[in-house]
Amino acid sequence: MSKYKVDENGYYGNYGGAYIPELLYPNVEELKEAYLRIMNSPDFIQEFRHLLSDYVGRPSPLYFAKRLSEHYKTKIYLKREDLNHTGAHKINNTIGQILLAKRLGKTRIIAETGAGQHGVATATVCALMGLECIVYMGEVDIQRQAPNVARMKLLGATVVPATCGSKTLKDATNEAIRDWINHPENTYYIIGSVVGPHPYPDMVARFQSIISEEMKQQLKEKENNEYPDYVIACVGGGSNAAGAFYHYLDHPEVKLIAAEAAGKGIHSGHSAATSALGKPGIIHGSKTLLMQTEDGQIVEPYSISAGLDYPGVGPVHAHLFETGRAEFISITDDEAVKSAFELCQLEGIIPALESAHALACLSKLNFKPDEVVVINLSGRGDKDLSTYMNFLK
Amino acid sequence: MNRINKLFETKQGNILSVYFTAGFPQLNDTANILKSLQESGADLVEVGIPFSDPLADGPVIQHSSEVALKNGMTMKLLFEQLKDFRKEINIPVLLMGYLNPVLQYGIEKFVQQCAASGIDGLILPDLPFKEYQEQYAPLFDQHNIRNIFLITPQTSEERVRLIDKAGNGFIYMVSSASTTGVKGQMNDQQTDYFMRIKNYKLNNPTLIGFGISNYDTFQTACQYSKGAIIGSAFINTIENSKDLKKDIHSFIQQLTTEK
Ligand SMILES: Cc1ncc(COP(=O)(O)O)c(C=O)c1O
């Protein structure tokens, strides 16, 4: 049994669990009882794999970034999740969960979204399956990720603004959970990251684990070695990182690097660097590291990147941080934008702001020339053009 | 004897429990509201500990929590406000709040402090039943603090009975699948559920909460249980009150007497 995978009680070491009001108990229990059975059934696996290949366009390429490698004097590969249908890794998870929701007989789908990528990916699979879709999104994020709001609407989803708190991902998640409480029977909640009550973190990690499954195979072909020296991914809730790390967790020779959003600086009061600033606490049904006041009130986070603007991390990441299995690096807004521009100019790829945080780790680590570094390029930057344009001026 | 148990021993029905958020509308209203509630005839009071992210609450209680936190409410201050309340208040009083602030305060210290202040019970909606049983039941029992469990229309009979077996004090029956808030009249689906639970003949008394707002809904709830819990409607009443004592009195009056 891996010490980095979820245990039978839904915990990763000290973190995880299902701290939910009784109102949600039947829903979460139903899911907990069913998810592994459904996910492991042959018809599910077949349908999931088929959609991943023919609809999402998997496997996503593992691209050797030659000019970026020359610049950093090491061997850098980009795992191109940005090339998936809808433009990010999020669709791996929504395909999985919509197939599950259908098998549970649910007819109404809800989701939260930050950057809008999970919202778009959910709206997409709902259109594909002909199911009603309601997406909660913070008012601030509706402003800064406008193209994704338009996409969701075009796909037939209803986008409901979250107007409380910092009006970002945390608040959208609160509203989605409240919706679920109010519609416990017909509604399935597609959570977009490895957060929430057990079994969500484990389920989402399993759906995203396709990323490292492919990486292993692709590295074997390209490097004749499945195991790179580094895997680098950004962490908001941590789903793309969980997927990119998944098959390497028990291989300590593979260094796992998690890029967190430091916003305007870790101690600026405008940050989302949970591992640096958080203490154990409970958010959205799970025990994890959480940015909070001494009095246990959740702190409003900040990041230029809507997808990383979250005061917690998935419990698996709290565990990876605590055990030292993963190294957490804080990246400021400016560092992320600089790295995004660098990738545009060296490789002709416009990354999402979230993924740019992972890229920014390149200048914070010392690599040897023959080391193999894989960066999970979680999404493309189309949604962030207006933010990037502000920096071009 | 714990005041909650005593209440249900001495009063058989029409028990009125009122919820309000500590620190709302003004930071230091807690003692006054408690006193006015007792004087007006409330049988039991739930004092809410405000939280930044109250997941199970609708807009009214969300708003009261936000205001209370802006006013400067903290756990420490709440216990200061409650230091001497037992000199005047003899009805049972519970604290209701989300788990995270309690964990940060330290759950042992918190339960001790509750007992020392004269608090009779706790309602922590996001503390799972199993977690409580496995980790905290002895602590609560040691301090004679009742932990109140919730049941909902979706809770299976088996689980209701499990909760009943472990419960002490009363069972909080959530009236419908919903967050807190004022909803208007009760529907047949709700009364069917109330009847179903009533027919289980549980060991613990039940109080019905969520969506109870006026004379009619209060009376309906009382037909099927020992009484009811009022939150959002009360918060709406005190929000802009210029005379808390008077407004609380007339609110309780109109709840308990037919128009
Ligand atoms: C492109 C992209 N990367 C990363 C994230 C962060 O999510 P997670 O940490 O779950 O991968 C998001 C979230 O919206 C995203 O859109």
Side-chain angles (χ1 to χ4, degrees):
Chain A
M1 193 53 206
S2 163
K3 60 181 176 175
Y4 303 112
K5 302 259 165 78
V6 80
D7 69 21
E8 63 275 19
N9 296 315
Y11 281 82
Y12 299 87
N14 297 318
Y15 301 106
Y19 294 83
I20 42 161
E22 186 63 28
L23 294 140
L24 290 177
Y25 178 84
N27 303 44
V28 171
E29 194 63 17
E30 175 186 34
L31 200 58
K32 194 179 97 187
E33 292 307 316
Y35 85 111
L36 288 178
R37 178 175 47 77
I38 294 177
M39 284 176 73
N40 292 328
S41 69
D43 71 302
F44 181 95
I45 294 172
Q46 196 198 358
E47 199 177 352
F48 181 57
R49 293 282 163 160
H50 166 75
L51 285 171
L52 286 186
S53 72
D54 290 15
Y55 188 70
V56 176
R58 302 203 71 92
S60 67
L62 185 73
Y63 164 69
F64 177 67
K66 184 157 168 287
R67 296 187 68 208
L68 197 66
S69 297
E70 279 164 9
H71 186 78
Y72 286 102
K73 302 187 172 52
T74 190
K75 289 162 93 172
I76 301 170
Y77 286 89
L78 302 178
K79 179 62 175 161
R80 299 291 307 273
E81 293 299 303
D82 60 315
L83 293 178
N84 292 339
H85 178 42
T86 71
H89 67 292
K90 297 287 183 186
I91 190 121
N92 304 328
N93 170 45
T94 60
I95 295 264
Q97 287 202 54
I98 200 85
L99 295 179
L100 210 121
K102 262 183 45 182
R103 281 161 174 77
L104 292 173
K106 306 291 177 177
T107 54
R108 182 175 173 273
I109 302 295
I110 57 171
E112 85 297 339
T113 195
Q117 288 301 131
H118 175 61
V120 168
T122 304
T124 298
V125 296
C126 286
L128 184 66
M129 299 295 165
L131 294 175
E132 183 187 359
C133 179
I134 295 108
V135 179
Y136 291 89
M137 186 168 190
E139 241 174 12
V140 167
D141 294 338
I142 287 180
Q143 297 299 321
R144 62 178 162 171
Q145 308 277 235
N148 277 343
V149 178
R151 293 167 82 198
M152 284 185 265
K153 288 185 177 161
L154 201 55
L155 290 161
T158 305
V159 180
V160 182
T163 56
C164 283
S166 52
K167 305 178 176 57
T168 57
L169 180 56
K170 164 179 79 79
D171 312 287
T173 309
N174 289 343
E175 291 307 330
I177 292 175
R178 289 185 186 119
D179 179 309
W180 207 21
I181 288 176
N182 283 284
H183 303 91
E185 288 180 338
N186 64 344
T187 296
Y188 182 92
Y189 179 18
I190 300 193
I191 293 186
S193 192
V194 286
V195 301
H198 175 68
Y200 277 104
D202 181 50
M203 178 171 67
V204 176
R206 285 170 188 261
F207 287 137
Q208 292 294 359
S209 69
I210 185 75
I211 299 173
S212 49
E213 184 184 312
E214 289 172 4
M215 260 160 43
K216 281 176 73 174
Q217 215 168 0
Q218 291 164 323
L219 283 170
K220 178 130 181 89
E221 283 160 23
K222 291 173 200 287
E223 291 289 331
N224 200 26
N225 182 356
E226 296 177 358
Y227 301 99
D229 295 287
Y230 290 86
V231 178
I232 305 177
C234 65
V235 173
S239 66
N240 87 86
F245 295 170
Y246 198 88
H247 292 284
Y248 297 118
L249 289 169
D250 296 315
H251 296 268
E253 71 276 19
V254 181
K255 298 182 194 71
L256 306 177
I257 310 291
E260 267 186 343
K264 296 180 177 163
I266 293 179
H267 300 293
S268 64
H270 303 276
S271 160
T274 306
S275 76
L277 299 171
K279 283 181 298 177
I282 288 167
I283 182 169
H284 299 142
S286 110
K287 191 179 272 182
T288 187
L289 289 173
L290 173 63
M291 289 166 53
Q292 56 188 313
T293 66
E294 254 178 38
D295 207 38
Q297 308 296 339
I298 299 177
V299 166
E300 305 296 350
Y302 163 81
S303 166
I304 193 172
S305 142
L308 306 185
D309 197 349
Y310 186 70
V313 287
V316 63
H317 294 294
H319 182 56
L320 293 177
F321 175 75
E322 193 171 272
T323 55
R325 175 65 189 96
E327 181 185 349
F328 282 64
I329 297 182
S330 302
I331 304 295
T332 63
D333 290 355
D334 289 345
E335 290 167 334
V337 171
K338 188 163 163 260
S339 298
F341 283 24
E342 184 178 88
L343 192 73
C344 294
Q345 282 145 22
L346 288 178
E347 298 289 348
I349 297 171
I350 304 171
L353 269 168
E354 290 76 19
S355 322
H357 285 71
L359 291 162
C361 292
L362 286 172
S363 58
K364 307 236 160 183
L365 294 161
N366 290 314
F367 306 107
K368 297 192 191 92
D370 59 348
E371 281 184 322
V372 173
V373 179
V374 180
I375 293 178
N376 195 38
L377 200 69
S378 56
R380 67 176 89 124
D382 306 30
K383 68 186 177 62
D384 299 312
L385 290 186
S386 71
T387 306
Y388 287 146
M389 292 311 284
N390 287 337
F391 283 83
L392 267 187
K393 281 178 204 149
Chain B
M1 188 189 226
N2 184 291
R3 289 179 200 87
I4 299 171
N5 299 107
K6 200 157 141 207
L7 169 66
F8 286 98
E9 238 172 52
T10 51
K11 191 164 176 182
Q12 293 305 315
N14 290 313
I15 290 178
L16 171 64
S17 176
V18 176
Y19 168 94
F20 71 94
T21 307
F24 176 89
Q26 304 295 325
L27 184 59
N28 292 312
D29 283 339
T30 310
N32 282 337
I33 295 176
L34 273 171
K35 199 159 158 237
S36 299
L37 280 170
Q38 171 167 287
E39 283 169 6
S40 308
D43 297 300
L44 191 152
V45 180
E46 294 164 20
V47 180
I49 305 165
F51 182 49
S52 55
D53 295 78
L55 283 182
D57 286 301
V60 173
I61 295 180
Q62 283 176 45
H63 170 71
S64 68
S65 307
E66 203 182 323
V67 172
L69 291 173
K70 267 200 197 116
N71 286 344
M73 198 66 215
T74 64
M75 194 76 93
K76 197 160 149 257
L77 183 59
L78 178 58
F79 281 123
E80 272 166 35
Q81 292 177 346
L82 293 175
K83 217 169 119 217
D84 292 322
F85 87 103
R86 279 296 169 205
K87 287 186 180 150
E88 289 184 311
I89 307 291
N90 43 46
I91 56 175
V93 175
L94 295 91
L95 297 187
M96 179 163 188
Y98 290 84
L99 190 55
N100 198 54
V102 172
L103 290 184
Q104 290 314 307
Y105 192 82
I107 193 156
E108 283 190 27
K109 190 173 131 200
F110 177 76
V111 172
Q112 270 168 20
Q113 189 73 53
C114 284
S117 311
I119 294 295
D120 306 290
L122 294 172
I123 308 174
L124 303 168
D126 57 346
L127 173 59
F129 174 72
K130 185 161 164 262
E131 207 86 11
Y132 170 79
Q133 288 293 91
E134 288 172 1
Q135 294 193 34
Y136 302 122
L139 172 71
F140 281 54
D141 291 344
Q142 185 198 331
H143 293 282
N144 202 26
I145 297 284
R146 302 286 170 260
N147 184 45
I148 303 304
F149 302 116
L150 273 58
I151 61 170
T152 82
Q154 277 70 37
T155 311
S156 68
E157 175 172 358
E158 187 191 354
R159 189 165 166 85
V160 171
R161 296 206 181 278
L162 193 71
I163 286 171
D164 185 42
K165 208 167 145 206
N168 188 345
F170 66 95
I171 289 176
Y172 192 134
M173 249 175 97
V174 176
S175 70
S176 66
S178 119
T179 44
T180 57
V182 175
K183 307 249 157 42
Q185 298 308 309
M186 297 278 181
N187 59 36
D188 291 348
Q189 217 180 339
Q190 286 174 287
T191 48
D192 288 352
Y193 150 64
F194 299 160
M195 198 62 216
R196 176 165 62 86
I197 302 294
K198 187 176 179 181
N199 287 336
Y200 290 170
K201 303 206 181 334
L202 302 177
N203 297 321
N204 288 285
T206 57
L207 293 181
I208 296 178
F210 287 38
I212 313 294
S213 60
N214 53 21
Y215 177 81
D216 287 344
T217 43
F218 181 63
Q219 292 306 319
T220 307
C222 289
Q223 281 171 34
Y224 300 92
S225 69
K226 297 285 184 201
I229 304 159
I230 304 215
S232 297
F234 181 73
I235 303 247
N236 283 335
T237 301
I238 61 174
E239 161 133 50
N240 296 311
S241 169
K242 303 224 159 46
D243 185 344
L244 276 177
K245 193 175 155 146
K246 184 166 144 272
D247 290 343
I248 290 174
H249 189 73
S250 59
F251 178 79
I252 304 285
Q253 277 291 309
Q254 54 95 22
L255 259 182
T256 45
T257 44
E258 201 161 1
K259 276 164 270 175

